[in-house]
Every structure is written in C-alpha cells, then in structure tokens.
Amino acid sequence: MAATLFLLLNSCAVNSFSNITKVKIHTPENSGIIYENDTIQSGRNLHIIHPPRSRDSLGFSVFNDSVRTDLSFRSKFSSLHYQMLTYTLGLHYLVNRNNPLYYDYKANIYIELDSLQSKFYPRKTKIAPFEKNTVMFYTSPLMAIDLFNTPMLTIGAEYFFIEDISISAEFGTRYFDWPRVNQGPELIDKQGNSFRLELKYYGAIDITDDLTFNEYFGIEYRYKHEQFTQAISYSTQQDDIKFVRNENFIVVKNLSILNLKYGANIPLGRRFFFDVYTGLGARFIDIQNPGLRFNPPEDELINDVAMPHIDETNIGELRRDVIFNFTLGFKFGIRL
C-alpha cells in the first residue's frame, strides 16, 4: 500500500512539473551572454534563458566589446524535491534521486564587471543595502482587518541609525467595530490601541539567496490594550434557588508580546516595499473584569442559540498568564 501511494504521488507530481526552468541574468550595460553557442543581446541589462533542469552546473559566458568571462553556477534542489521529501518521507531518494526535475537554478543571477582585472564575476552584495539615516514609513494591513481582535489602523517609521541596523516604532488605534453576536447593550465605548518597538539587524543571514531581498533578524516588543463590553448568560444559585442571570460586564485586556523575528524587506519598484516576517516569543496576558458577578465554578455558563460564541478567555478565570507566541505577517511601506 505504501509503495503504491508513493508511486502515485511521484507520478502525479512529476507529470505536472516542467523540465524547463527560467533564469534571469542581470549584467552591466552594453553586455551580452553566450549560452549553448547562442549569443543573447537584448539591448537591456536583463537577459533571459530557459535551461533544462539538471543536477549539472549551469554554464554561460558574459562579454562586452573587450572582455569575455566563462561562468558556472551550481544547481540547487527544486520545489518538487521538497514536495516529494514531504510526501514520501525521503523514499524518492531511493527510487529516483537522479531525476533532473528535482533540481533547479537561481531564478536571478547578477553579474558585475571588475574593470581592473578585466573580468566579470557574480555579484555578492545586495542591490539596495540600507545606509545610515535611511528612513521608511509603513503600515500593518493585517491589523486593519483583524477578525479576532479589535481592528486597528497603524502607522510606523523605521530609521537606520547605523548602516544595516535600524530601530522602528509603530502606533495603532481602533477605527470601527466588527459586529459581535454576543455583545449585548454597551456599557462603555470600545477602546483599543497598540504600540510596537523593534530593533533590526540586516545582512547577518541570506536564506533566500536573492540579492534584492534584505533579510534581517529582529527583536520586537508589542503592547496592545483593548476595553469593551461582553454579555453572558449563566445559571447561578442563591439560598437553594437556581435561576438564570444575564450579565453585561467590562473586559480590560492588556497584552505584552516579546518576539525574536526573521524577516525580509522585499522591494516593489524603487520606493515601495513589503516587509514579510515570522517569529517566536512569549505573550504576557493581563485580563480584568471590573464588577463581574459571575463566579466559576459555582456558576455555569449557558451557551444557548442566542449566544453561541462566548469567549470564555475574557471571563474572570483568566487574570494573568504567559503563553507561547508565534507571529506571521507583513508590512507595506515606502522608502524615502
């Protein structure tokens, strides 16, 4: 059964995967390339070739009026390789490890000219590194459409006080309410705000191997405050009399989050960018319910049809706690 499943997965994945890949070669001005005895001069700094997938290195020549250099780039594993590694727990190595579809080349190759030594060489430095006094402004779109917490509009700024090292600050505030099934009559107006402070170090890592991406490590502190009214129904008992009580109560929620992050600043043209990140850390939770009469475990919540989405984490049982935090998101901004 396992062998049959492996063969089916291997066949489906391989049949839907192209044996030709695409490589963009970026060269200095007035340069061309020679690939498989074909001369390619596009009139631009960008030349595109479509080599077959192979575990062998990719070779071509770069030339201008006075210089020609032969270059070679090692192959890397393709996305199909990692798919099969997941699907078959590595069994594809035993069956078809030399399949050329398991290999690929860099999507973008950047070439520079060393005029002193009269030769071309692969570029190593980032295309647009961050210099001292660089300033960027950004917003976090996911916080504006947050379905699980108070949606907020955010604005932030990032400043490089040293080359490749920056500090950023972000502020967010509530701007409207999502409808809540179990809200009940309002006792107080909803309130919400957030603050983020982050220190980043760019250039210490290069996982993507893309010279246009500025990858970084960061340490982030976030604070978020929410205050709103929640409605509950519960059964309670006094002097041997059991009855149902409906109660509206105030929830005051404060979150402090500390994260270690990895991210990449991805350019969109010359000025705009995406900052995509993920990270791990700790979430410090402080929830208060001033004036709450509900008293677990003596009282029992009622999840009836009218109130199917009661958030029990907002109710008196949870006051202060520390839990694991995983973050994943992006920012959109402009580089000045």
Side-chain angles (χ1 to χ4, degrees), residues 85-235:
L85 187 66
T86 302
Y87 294 153
T88 68
L89 301 179
L91 292 178
H92 70 292
Y93 281 114
L94 302 177
V95 178
N96 203 6
R97 63 181 179 180
N98 293 322
N99 190 329
L101 298 184
Y102 292 157
Y103 298 91
D104 201 353
Y105 302 105
K106 286 185 177 182
N108 289 274
I109 296 176
Y110 296 87
I111 306 298
E112 287 187 321
L113 174 63
D114 186 339
S115 56
L116 295 178
Q117 299 187 27
S118 297
K119 70 175 184 179
F120 293 96
Y121 64 96
R123 178 169 181 161
K124 300 291 186 182
T125 59
K126 294 295 183 180
I127 300 300
F130 294 114
E131 299 177 351
K132 182 179 178 180
N133 295 328
T134 299
V135 178
M136 297 184 291
F137 291 97
Y138 65 87
T139 186
S140 300
L142 292 180
M143 291 191 67
I145 56 174
D146 194 337
L147 298 176
F148 304 99
N149 299 284
T150 302
M152 297 185 186
L153 288 178
T154 62
I155 184 68
E158 184 171 353
Y159 173 70
F160 286 79
F161 59 94
I162 301 176
E163 180 178 336
D164 288 333
I165 299 180
S166 72
I167 188 168
S168 61
E170 174 187 296
F171 177 76
T173 184
R174 181 185 70 86
Y175 65 101
F176 75 90
D177 299 333
W178 292 107
R180 296 178 183 267
V181 175
N182 63 329
Q183 189 60 41
E186 290 286 342
L187 297 181
I188 60 170
D189 292 333
K190 283 192 177 181
Q191 302 176 21
N193 55 70
S194 66
F195 176 76
R196 182 205 306 255
L197 188 65
E198 185 172 5
L199 182 68
K200 295 180 181 178
Y201 176 39
Y202 291 81
I205 190 171
D206 191 15
I207 295 177
T208 62
D209 198 24
D210 191 319
L211 296 181
T212 62
F213 291 7
N214 288 288
E215 298 169 67
Y216 64 84
F217 284 121
I219 181 169
E220 171 195 64
Y221 170 76
R222 291 180 61 192
Y223 172 78
K224 190 171 184 180
H225 169 79
E226 295 179 83
Q227 187 169 315
F228 55 89
T229 299
Q230 182 162 323
I232 57 173
S233 291
Y234 56 92
S235 62

Side-chain angles (χ1 to χ4, degrees), residues 19-33:
N19 63 346
I20 302 294
T21 188
K22 179 180 179 180
V23 177
K24 297 179 180 179
I25 303 173
H26 306 259
T27 65
E29 293 183 1
N30 303 317
S31 301
I33 66 171

Side-chain angles (χ1 to χ4, degrees), residues 57-70:
S57 297
L58 173 66
F60 57 86
S61 301
V62 184
F63 70 93
N64 60 16
D65 292 338
S66 57
V67 178
R68 172 173 169 168
T69 305
D70 297 328

Side-chain angles (χ1 to χ4, degrees), residues 175-315:
Y175 65 101
F176 75 90
D177 299 333
W178 292 107
R180 296 178 183 267
V181 175
N182 63 329
Q183 189 60 41
E186 290 286 342
L187 297 181
I188 60 170
D189 292 333
K190 283 192 177 181
Q191 302 176 21
N193 55 70
S194 66
F195 176 76
R196 182 205 306 255
L197 188 65
E198 185 172 5
L199 182 68
K200 295 180 181 178
Y201 176 39
Y202 291 81
I205 190 171
D206 191 15
I207 295 177
T208 62
D209 198 24
D210 191 319
L211 296 181
T212 62
F213 291 7
N214 288 288
E215 298 169 67
Y216 64 84
F217 284 121
I219 181 169
E220 171 195 64
Y221 170 76
R222 291 180 61 192
Y223 172 78
K224 190 171 184 180
H225 169 79
E226 295 179 83
Q227 187 169 315
F228 55 89
T229 299
Q230 182 162 323
I232 57 173
S233 291
Y234 56 92
S235 62
T236 186
Q237 184 170 331
Q238 291 183 357
D239 300 328
D240 297 328
I241 301 175
K242 192 170 185 179
F243 58 94
V244 173
R245 174 182 289 154
N246 299 317
E247 181 178 0
N248 297 321
F249 65 98
I250 297 172
V251 178
V252 180
K253 183 185 295 187
N254 295 296
L255 301 178
S256 294
I257 303 170
L258 189 63
N259 286 318
L260 294 176
K261 296 169 54 178
Y262 158 77
N265 185 292
I266 303 173
L268 300 173
R270 297 184 61 183
R271 292 294 182 184
F272 295 98
F273 67 87
F274 272 125
D275 184 332
V276 182
Y277 58 86
T278 186
L280 304 174
R283 180 183 294 247
F284 302 85
I285 305 173
D286 185 345
I287 298 179
Q288 301 177 27
N289 304 138
L292 177 65
R293 299 174 65 185
F294 174 75
N295 184 30
E298 288 79 6
D299 301 335
E300 183 177 354
L301 282 173
I302 300 175
N303 294 330
D304 58 19
V305 177
M307 298 181 178
H309 304 300
I310 294 176
D311 187 354
E312 296 188 29
T313 62
N314 289 332
I315 304 175

Side-chain angles (χ1 to χ4, degrees), residues 311-329:
D311 187 354
E312 296 188 29
T313 62
N314 289 332
I315 304 175
E317 296 177 351
L318 180 59
R319 292 289 184 176
R320 290 179 174 85
D321 201 1
V322 180
I323 62 175
F324 170 79
N325 186 73
F326 171 74
T327 185
L328 179 67

